Amino acid sequence: MECEQAQALRIAGTVDDSIVDGPGLRFTVFTQGCPHRCPGCHNPQTHDFSGGRLETVEQLFRQFSQNPLLRGITFSGGEPFCQPKPLAALARMVHEAGKDVFCYTGYTYEELAASQDPAVQELLAQVDVLVDGPFLQEQRDLTLLFRGSANQRLIQVPETRRTGSLVLWNPGYGA
């Protein structure tokens, strides 16, 4: 991955109670910085790597923990895999609290799985459902659940890693 690795987590913002960024009520973290810059991106303000604000993993987990009704956390962007180490730490805390992790990325699962970056592997191992692939305006489809274009896939990461074969997530079942 061609992204800067930083100790602090740079975010564009958060949503405390999203119902559109994955299943159930979710706390969504919009990371700041994205190398993809997809034409038609829903969050172009997140592209600049120097924008947004700095937050610690602990601050974000405290915010997340304030709502017991949350099903889980969603990492969106920007590009979450440009800040894998702090997000992996946050995801571990969320899992320890018994909640799930949903993550959007402009990379494909195959690109992430092939990455030699241990931090990328660490974050990937903490994701329950990955929405992968760049947003493609020519494949935009507003009827798709939790994604913007038909090329993007909902991948059940633990099962995919366990079996070695791509396992798509069926929203009728849990994450």
Side-chain angles (χ1 to χ4, degrees), residues 7-173:
Q7 293 296 349
L9 184 59
R10 185 167 290 280
I11 67 167
T14 60
V15 174
D16 294 337
D17 54 3
S18 173
I19 58 170
V20 298
D21 296 316
L25 194 61
R26 310 195 69 75
F27 183 82
T28 302
V29 177
F30 292 93
T31 61
Q32 184 70 40
C34 183
H36 309 296
R37 300 181 181 270
C38 302
C41 174
H42 185 66
N43 301 320
Q45 71 281 7
T46 66
H47 293 176
D48 182 2
F49 281 92
S50 62
R53 68 180 191 271
L54 295 175
E55 293 275 348
T56 68
V57 168
E58 292 77 16
Q59 287 170 317
L60 291 168
F61 186 70
R62 269 196 303 277
Q63 285 179 269
F64 171 81
S65 298
Q66 290 176 359
N67 187 346
L69 300 177
L70 293 173
R71 174 172 171 173
I73 197 165
T74 296
F75 301 145
S76 191
E79 174 53 65
F81 281 89
C82 285
Q83 300 184 71
K85 198 155 195 64
L87 288 175
L90 180 55
R92 272 192 300 282
M93 295 167 85
V94 167
H95 279 142
E96 287 169 6
K99 308 292 183 166
D100 64 30
V101 178
F102 206 86
C103 184
Y104 288 86
T105 181
Y107 295 107
T108 65
Y109 173 80
E110 292 81 3
E111 289 171 318
L112 295 172
S115 172
Q116 298 300 308
D117 184 340
V120 167
Q121 294 308 316
E122 189 179 350
L123 176 55
L124 191 58
Q126 292 298 319
V127 173
D128 295 300
V129 175
L130 183 74
V131 181
D132 81 331
F135 171 75
L136 298 177
Q137 195 154 6
E138 62 275 9
Q139 292 188 34
R140 179 176 183 242
D141 184 344
L142 298 178
T143 67
L144 296 171
L145 187 63
F146 305 132
R147 57 199 191 278
S149 58
N151 64 297
Q152 296 171 315
R153 304 172 293 182
L154 297 165
I155 298 169
Q156 192 175 350
V157 178
E159 274 299 295
T160 295
R161 290 171 67 93
R162 187 182 68 72
T163 64
S165 298
L166 193 71
V167 177
L168 297 180
W169 179 65
N170 180 339
Y173 299 99

